[in-house]
Amino acid sequence: MVRNIIKKVVVILFGLVLAILLRITVPFTLKFSNLKITTDIIAYFSGLTITISIIICIFLVSIFLAYLTDDWIALGFIPLQIYVLHWTNLTFSERLESMNKSYDAFMDNLTQKWLSYFNHNDTYWTTLEKTILCCGLEGPRSYMDYLQKVPKHCYNPKLITLGCSHFYQNIFHPMQQIGLLLLRLSLFVELCILLFYGLTLFKKLISLFARETKKSC
C-alpha cells in the first residue's frame, strides 16, 4: 500500500514539474525573454522544479538502498534531508523575494513610461499599446484623466478596455502566488520524506530493541 501511494505521489509531482515547464518556463521564455522579471521567474521556477525532481530521484534511490542495507541507510539520509529542507527554504525564499521586487520595479517602470509619454512624447507607449493591444495605463480612462483624446489605435475595431498595467498584472502577478504555493509544496514534500526516514529508523530501532528484549528473556 505504501509503495502504491509513493508511486502515485511521484507521478503527480513529475506531472506538476512537466506542467510548470510547459505552461510557465517555455511560454515566458518565448514571449517575454527581454524583460528582467522574466529572467527571475524562469530562474525561480526552473530551480525549484529541478530541486523537486532531484529530491524525488534521490528518495527513490534511497528506498532501493534501504532494502540492501536493512533500512540503516535512513540514518545517513536524515541529516542530509534536514540540510536540503533548510537550503530549499532559504534559497527559494530569497529568489521569491527577488521575483517580487522585480515585479514591483517593472510596474513602477511601466508607470514612468506612461508619464514620459505625456511629458516627453516618448513613443514607447504607443508601440507598447499596438504590440500587446492595450490602451492607457489602466484603460482608456487614463487618457481622459489627462484630458486627452483616446488614440485611434485603441480601437481594434472596438475600443480596447484593457489597460497596459492590467495586462501585465494578469500575467506576472499570479506567478508570485503560484511560486509561493510551489515552494510550500516543495517544503511539504521534503518534510514528508524526512518523516519517512524518521519512521523507518524508528521502526528499525523498535525492532532491534524487541530482539534484544527477547534474547534477554
Side-chain angles (χ1 to χ4, degrees):
M1 181 178 177
V2 176
R3 290 184 180 181
N4 291 332
I5 293 175
I6 291 175
K7 288 180 180 179
K8 290 179 180 179
V9 171
V10 168
V11 170
I12 291 173
L13 289 175
F14 275 123
L16 178 62
V17 169
L18 182 61
I20 291 172
L21 176 65
L22 297 178
R23 297 299 299 272
I24 296 178
T25 306
V26 174
F28 273 75
T29 302
L30 296 176
K31 294 181 180 179
F32 308 106
S33 58
N34 59 327
L35 302 177
K36 182 184 181 301
I37 185 175
T38 301
T39 304
D40 292 333
I41 289 174
I42 293 174
Y44 178 83
F45 283 99
S46 297
L48 196 51
T49 51
I50 290 172
T51 300
I52 293 174
S53 300
I54 292 175
I55 289 171
I56 294 173
C57 291
I58 292 176
F59 175 63
L60 294 176
V61 171
S62 70
I63 292 176
F64 173 74
L65 294 176
Y67 289 109
L68 299 180
T69 59
D70 200 21
D71 292 338
W72 283 113
I73 198 170
L75 185 63
F77 274 102
I78 288 177
L80 176 62
Q81 190 62 29
I82 292 174
Y83 171 78
V84 170
L85 188 63
H86 172 73
W87 177 85
T88 301
N89 181 52
L90 182 64
T91 301
F92 290 99
S93 292
E94 291 178 353
R95 290 191 184 183
L96 182 61
E97 184 179 357
S98 176
M99 186 172 71
N100 293 340
K101 288 181 179 179
S102 293
Y103 171 78
D104 293 336
F106 175 78
M107 298 306 295
D108 289 341
N109 182 62
L110 194 65
T111 302
Q112 292 301 319
K113 292 290 186 182
W114 168 253
L115 295 176
S116 296
Y117 171 68
F118 284 101
N119 298 331
H120 307 291
N121 294 321
D122 191 351
T123 59
Y124 171 86
W125 195 265
T126 302
T127 304
L128 178 67
E129 289 179 326
K130 292 179 179 179
T131 302
I132 64 176
L133 299 180
C134 61
C135 183
L137 182 64
E138 297 180 349
R141 182 171 292 276
S142 297
Y143 283 100
M144 300 175 188
D145 292 339
Y146 281 83
L147 303 179
Q148 296 288 328
K149 184 179 179 181
V150 178
K152 293 182 179 180
H153 61 258
C154 279
Y155 294 84
N156 188 40
K158 295 182 179 180
L159 179 64
I160 299 173
T161 58
L162 179 66
C164 296
S165 63
H166 295 157
F167 173 84
Y168 284 115
Q169 283 174 2
N170 294 338
I171 294 173
F172 292 123
H173 185 65
M175 294 301 103
Q176 297 173 296
Q177 299 171 330
I178 295 173
L180 180 60
L181 290 175
L182 186 63
L183 176 58
R184 290 177 177 175
L185 175 63
S186 177
L187 294 175
F188 176 74
V189 170
E190 292 177 12
L191 183 60
C192 288
I193 293 174
L194 179 61
L195 291 175
F196 177 84
Y197 290 143
L199 289 174
T200 300
L201 184 60
F202 179 74
K203 287 170 61 178
K204 187 64 181 177
L205 292 174
I206 292 296
S207 176
L208 185 63
F209 178 75
R211 290 179 186 176
E212 293 297 327
T213 303
K214 287 183 179 180
K215 288 181 180 180
S216 61
C217 293

